[in-house]
Amino acid sequence: MSDKVLSIEDVAEVDFRHAKLRTAMAERGLDALLAYAPAWRRENVRYLTDTTIGAAAAFVLVTADDIRAFSTRLADVTPLRQSGWVSRADVIALPDAAALADALRGSGARRIGVGHLELLPLGFERAIRGAVTGAELISATKLFDAVRMVKSPWELRRMQDAAHVCDAAWKAFVDVLEPGLAEYEIVATVESEIKRLGAEDNFMLIASGKDEVLGMTPPSRRRVEVGDMVRTELTPQTGGYWLQICRSVTVGPPSDAQQRSFELFHEAAEAGVAAVRPGVTAHEVATAENDVFRKHGYGEYCSDKWTRVRGHGLGLHLDEFPIIEGNHTVIPEGATFIIHPNTYTPIAGYHVFGDQVVVTADGARRLVETERRLFSSDEGSLS
C-alpha cells in the first residue's frame, strides 16, 4: 500500500475513474476488468495508475473492491506502489505470472473483460486460464475506449499543459527554419524544446518540398530550399496525455498556389469545427470537411488513395477513434480530437492544417493558441 497522500482533486479523479469502470463492468456482466499494456499501447494502464510504465507488458486488475497492478519490469513496481492509485503492485514473469494468477484466483472472477485482449500474448492467456478454471475472456478494448473518451476537468488541465507545449514547439519550428537546414536538424531543435518543457515523448512527422510532396514521414536528410512548403504534425505527450497541432510554413514568401491551398484547407477545417456539437458523429465531422473539397472540385483527394483520416481522437493514446466518413461513432461532450483535413491536392502538394478541440455544450473549443494561418520563415512566428 502506498504512503503517498493524494490531493483532494487526485482522490476525486481516482474515485471517478473507478466508478466509471465498475459501472461499465456491471452493465456488461463482467466479474473483473484486466487492462493489458503491451509496450506500445499503455493508455489503459496509465488511465488506472497515472504512472509511466517501461515494461514490455503490464496489467491492472479491477475487481469490485480492489485495484492491483502488475509489471514484467521490476523498476516499474516502486513507482506503481508509490502512485497512490492502486492498492498494491507486483512484478510478474512467464510462464506462470504468479502474482497475477494468484490475484485472479483469489478474486473469484470467471467472466473477465480484457482491454487489448486482441494483443495479449499466448503465454499470458495460458497463465490466466490456468489460474481461473473455466475463465471466460472477453474483449474489453471498446469498453476502455468508451470510458476514456470523455475527459474530466482533471484530464483537460493535463491536456491544456500539453497544448502549451504544442504552441511553444510550433514557435521553435518556425524560428529555426531557414534554407539549407536538413529536416532532421529542424526536428532535433523542436524535440529539444519539447523535452526542455517537460514533455515525456513526442510523435512528429515532417515533409518539405513543393507540389511533388505526397505525404509526411519521419525526418530525412533533405535540406529545405527557398520556395518549399514545410509541413509538420507535432504531438507532444505531457503528463501522459498527447495533444496535436498541424501546420505548414513556407520558406520565403508563399506562392499564390501555396496561399490558395491554405485557404482551401482552412475552409475545410473551419467546416469541421462548425459541425462539432455534443452527439455529433465522426462521419458528420468528416463529411463537413470533405464537402468543402467537393465544392471546389477536389473531392477525389478525400479518398483513402490520398489520405488516411480527417482527424482522430487523442488523449492517453495518440490515435484513437478516426474522423472518417462511414464511422458513426458518437462523439460526446468532453471528448477531445483533432480536426485536420490533411491530404494531397495538385494546387501545392500535400498540405496539413488542424487543431485539437474539446467538445463543449456550445460546440468546439480549441486547446492550442497558435494562429490559424499559413506561416512564412521570413516573417517569424510571432508576426
Side-chain angles (χ1 to χ4, degrees):
M1 188 71 179
S2 169
D3 56 4
K4 179 178 179 179
V5 178
L6 296 179
S7 69
I8 293 173
E9 293 80 8
D10 286 350
V11 170
E13 182 67 17
V14 171
D15 291 345
F16 174 68
R17 295 185 186 191
H18 292 177
K20 282 206 296 184
L21 281 165
R22 286 177 172 130
T23 296
M25 282 170 54
E27 289 173 349
R28 291 161 179 78
L30 299 173
D31 302 321
L33 279 173
L34 188 62
Y36 166 57
W40 64 98
R41 292 301 302 268
R42 294 169 173 158
E43 65 271 20
N44 294 328
V45 165
R46 185 68 186 251
Y47 185 76
L48 286 161
T49 66
D50 194 34
T51 303
T52 300
I53 300 296
F59 296 85
V60 176
L61 177 63
V62 182
T63 59
D65 55 6
D66 199 13
I67 307 280
R68 293 181 57 177
F70 310 87
S71 176
T72 58
R73 182 172 180 258
L74 182 60
D76 289 336
V77 173
T78 295
L80 283 167
R81 288 174 177 170
Q82 292 176 343
S83 71
W85 283 58
V86 297
S87 65
R88 63 178 292 174
D90 297 285
V91 68
I92 56 173
L94 291 175
D96 55 0
L100 174 59
D102 289 345
L104 284 165
R105 194 178 299 113
S107 72
R110 292 293 179 270
R111 186 174 163 84
I112 304 167
V114 183
H116 292 316
L117 175 63
E118 302 80 5
L119 304 176
L120 187 68
L122 182 58
F124 283 115
E125 182 177 343
R126 286 172 174 164
I128 293 167
R129 292 189 183 280
V132 182
T133 303
E136 184 181 1
L137 302 186
I138 298 158
S139 175
T141 303
K142 290 183 178 179
L143 180 156
F144 275 102
D145 288 349
V147 166
R148 293 193 338 271
M149 182 182 285
V150 176
K151 308 302 188 292
S152 68
W154 186 99
E155 292 179 283
L156 289 174
R157 287 192 292 273
R158 288 272 182 103
M159 297 190 79
Q160 195 63 66
D161 290 341
H164 295 325
V165 176
C166 271
D167 289 324
W170 174 251
K171 180 182 183 303
F173 187 93
V174 177
D175 285 349
V176 74
L177 196 63
E178 62 181 32
L181 278 179
E183 289 180 351
Y184 73 84
E185 292 174 315
I186 298 166
V187 170
T189 298
V190 175
E191 287 273 0
S192 177
E193 178 66 2
I194 284 172
K195 296 297 175 63
R196 185 187 70 81
L197 292 169
E200 301 156 17
D201 203 349
N202 178 47
F203 176 79
M204 186 173 176
L205 298 175
I206 190 172
S208 63
K210 301 175 180 63
D211 59 4
E212 79 283 0
V213 175
L214 298 178
M216 294 184 295
T217 65
S220 72
R221 291 180 173 272
R222 184 187 185 276
R223 297 189 178 275
V224 301
E225 304 170 354
V226 173
D228 281 354
M229 185 161 63
V230 186
R231 305 84 163 160
T232 194
E233 181 178 274
L234 287 164
T235 319
Q237 183 192 39
T238 302
Y241 289 85
W242 301 88
L243 202 124
Q244 189 172 95
I245 182 173
C246 294
R247 288 290 190 278
S248 299
V249 55
T250 60
V251 184
S255 67
D256 290 344
Q258 289 168 340
Q259 187 62 45
R260 289 201 319 273
S261 179
F262 169 77
E263 289 167 2
L264 171 64
F265 281 77
H266 183 269
E267 183 181 344
E270 287 291 290
V273 169
V276 175
R277 62 189 183 281
V280 73
T281 65
H283 169 85
E284 291 171 311
V285 176
T287 298
E289 295 177 63
N290 291 342
D291 280 349
V292 171
F293 287 87
R294 295 180 184 118
K295 179 180 72 173
H296 291 285
Y298 297 102
E300 67 179 287
Y301 299 104
C302 301
S303 71
D304 58 10
K305 177 181 177 181
W306 300 102
T307 187
R308 188 176 71 91
V309 293
R310 318 308 275 161
H312 52 86
L314 287 103
L316 287 172
H317 183 52
L318 57 77
D319 193 4
E320 298 185 343
F321 58 92
I323 305 297
I324 54 173
E325 292 187 16
N327 178 14
H328 296 283
T329 297
V330 174
I331 306 175
E333 185 174 352
T336 56
F337 62 102
I338 187 165
I339 296 170
H340 65 42
N342 299 350
T343 192
Y344 169 87
T345 74
I347 304 172
Y350 196 81
H351 203 127
V352 303
F353 182 75
D355 291 331
Q356 191 157 341
V357 301
V358 57
V359 182
T360 73
D362 300 319
R365 175 172 67 85
R366 288 199 309 138
L367 293 172
V368 298
E369 296 180 356
T370 298
E371 292 179 75
R372 295 166 65 77
R373 64 181 177 87
L374 180 61
F375 286 75
S376 166
S377 63
D378 279 358
E379 58 180 309
S381 64
L382 297 180
S383 62

